[in-house]
Structure formats: C-alpha cells, structure tokens
Amino acid sequence: MKKYAIIFFLICVNSAFAQVIPDSIDLRSNSYCAVFDNTTPARDKYLIAKKWFASNLQNYRDIIVSEDARNCKIVLKPLVLYKADSYSRCYLSTELTFECDRNKFCVKFDKVKRRAAFSTMANIESADTVYQQSKLTADIEINKFHRYKMLKAKDAPTPDELKEIRSCAYLDNYTEDALRKENMVYYHELQNIVAEIVNKLKMTIDENK
C-alpha cells in the first residue's frame, strides 16, 4: 500500500511540474514563452497543434499568419475573449507561435495586449500598461487600508478622521493580499488565459504520444 502511495505521489508531483502555473507567468515584457520536452515525432506534434488551434481558437483560418509544415511552425494572431472584471469583457490580443522539433515544443506569446470588446472603452493596452495601472490602483487601496487601520487605533480621532474612518469601513472585509489581488484582476486574468492555452495544448500533445 505504501509503495502505491509513493507512486501516486510521484505522478501528482510530475503532473504539477508539467503544468504552467498562472502566477509564474510574467507578461510585463509583453511576451511569454513555454518550452516542454516531448519525443513525439515533430510532424505529429505539428499536426496535433494545428488541429487543436483550429478547434479551440475562433476564426482559425482568419487568424493564421503562417503555417510552415516543413519546419513544424505555426504563427497565429488570435483574439481570446475573457471576462476582465464584474462588468466588462475584453480580448487577449497576441502573436502566438508554436514550433517544435523531435525533442521538444514551445509556445510563444509576443506583443501581448488587452483589447476592449467595445469601441467605447479604451481600445488597446499592452500587458505592461495593464500591470502598471492595476499596481497603482492596488498601491492606493493598500495605503488607504493601512491609514484606516492606524486611524481606528487612535484614542481620539478628529472629526475629519472620523469621517474618513466611516468612508473606509468597507476595508474591514479585506486583507492586504485580498486588496492587491482584487485590484490587479486584469493582469491575473491575462496570466490565466495564457496558462490555460499552454496547459490545454500541452495536455493534448502529451495524450497523443
């Protein structure tokens, strides 16, 4: 029984390391690349990836930049719809490259941008811009959080400070980590979309070894 438990643990560990974790994806350079070892014949990997893209990305024929069967390389320009927050829907816009040889394959994202779903919204922002904006918002809220805690701890707050305490009472429901996560939602959503594409494509190729 102990032997089987160890085997199961090793399988879980290998599976965990095989996946891309969203928090490990840094899009501030507006690019990301994941490389995986895989000994499936390159031509097979290429065909599996091509079929996966056609099935999972909208308007596949329209977003192809190039398909190079000889060098087992596909370049696409997809728009991936996602829910950016409670109110708005946005697109992940990127140049997506898949390429492989007999020992590995890689998935690259270049020129990563967040594009609004509606023309009335700010149309296109780089991932770096989204990150910087959300970080600024998070920092403002966290500074407000610490000031609120300090004012609540005062023995005799002034009338203006009491008004400030009442206006920030909602912060009782938050921790610093929760504020940071909530206000950086755009960046986390972009990370999640990239991780989902990479992990699902990798899983499909691995299953067809």
Side-chain angles (χ1 to χ4, degrees):
M1 184 69 183
K2 188 175 182 182
K3 174 183 171 185
Y4 289 121
I6 292 171
I7 292 172
F8 178 74
F9 172 75
L10 290 174
I11 290 172
C12 290
V13 169
N14 286 335
S15 298
F17 280 109
Q19 298 300 306
V20 169
I21 302 169
D23 287 346
S24 70
I25 297 173
D26 188 348
L27 299 174
R28 282 171 288 179
S29 64
N30 301 315
S31 65
Y32 176 76
C33 181
V35 181
F36 300 101
D37 294 333
N38 185 287
T39 56
T40 304
R43 173 72 175 172
D44 291 350
K45 284 198 284 277
Y46 170 82
L47 292 175
I48 292 167
K50 180 177 175 179
K51 183 178 179 181
W52 189 89
F53 287 134
S55 299
N56 289 275
L57 297 179
Q58 290 186 346
N59 304 318
Y60 177 69
R61 300 309 311 177
D62 297 331
I63 63 174
I64 295 172
V65 176
S66 64
E67 288 181 341
D68 185 348
R70 180 185 293 273
N71 294 302
C72 297
K73 181 177 180 180
I74 304 169
V75 182
L76 309 166
K77 280 196 170 181
L79 283 176
V80 183
L81 188 65
Y82 71 94
K83 194 170 183 179
D85 56 28
S86 301
Y87 308 101
S88 59
R89 283 151 44 104
C90 293
Y91 290 105
L92 168 69
S93 169
T94 186
E95 185 171 288
L96 175 57
T97 302
F98 172 88
E99 53 188 333
C100 62
D101 58 30
R102 64 183 181 179
N103 295 315
K104 66 179 185 296
F105 69 89
C106 64
V107 189
K108 297 178 185 175
F109 295 79
D110 290 310
K111 303 172 186 173
V112 181
K113 299 180 187 297
R114 182 181 76 93
R115 176 172 167 180
F118 305 103
S119 58
T120 53
M121 298 167 63
N123 194 28
I124 298 178
E125 297 175 280
S126 69
D128 178 62
T129 300
V130 172
Y131 175 81
Q132 294 298 339
Q133 288 175 343
S134 61
K135 184 177 184 301
L136 177 62
T137 303
D139 288 344
I140 290 171
E141 285 297 304
I142 288 167
N143 287 336
K144 189 188 295 185
F145 174 80
H146 287 303
R147 176 168 171 77
Y148 173 64
K149 294 295 184 184
M150 180 269 292
L151 290 177
K152 281 189 70 176
K154 286 186 71 171
D155 291 332
T158 66
D160 285 343
E161 288 173 341
L162 284 172
K163 287 181 182 178
E164 191 174 346
I165 289 171
R166 286 194 291 270
S167 70
C168 294
Y170 69 94
L171 291 170
D172 282 328
N173 299 318
Y174 286 91
T175 63
E176 182 174 331
D177 286 344
L179 281 171
R180 187 172 299 282
K181 184 174 182 181
E182 179 172 303
N183 287 284
M184 296 187 71
V185 64
Y186 291 141
Y187 185 65
H188 283 288
E189 287 291 341
L190 290 176
Q191 288 175 304
N192 290 339
I193 292 293
V194 169
E196 184 177 10
I197 291 173
V198 173
N199 288 334
K200 286 185 175 178
L201 176 58
K202 180 187 183 302
M203 188 182 302
T204 304
I205 293 174
D206 286 346
E207 286 175 351
N208 285 273
K209 279 185 180 179

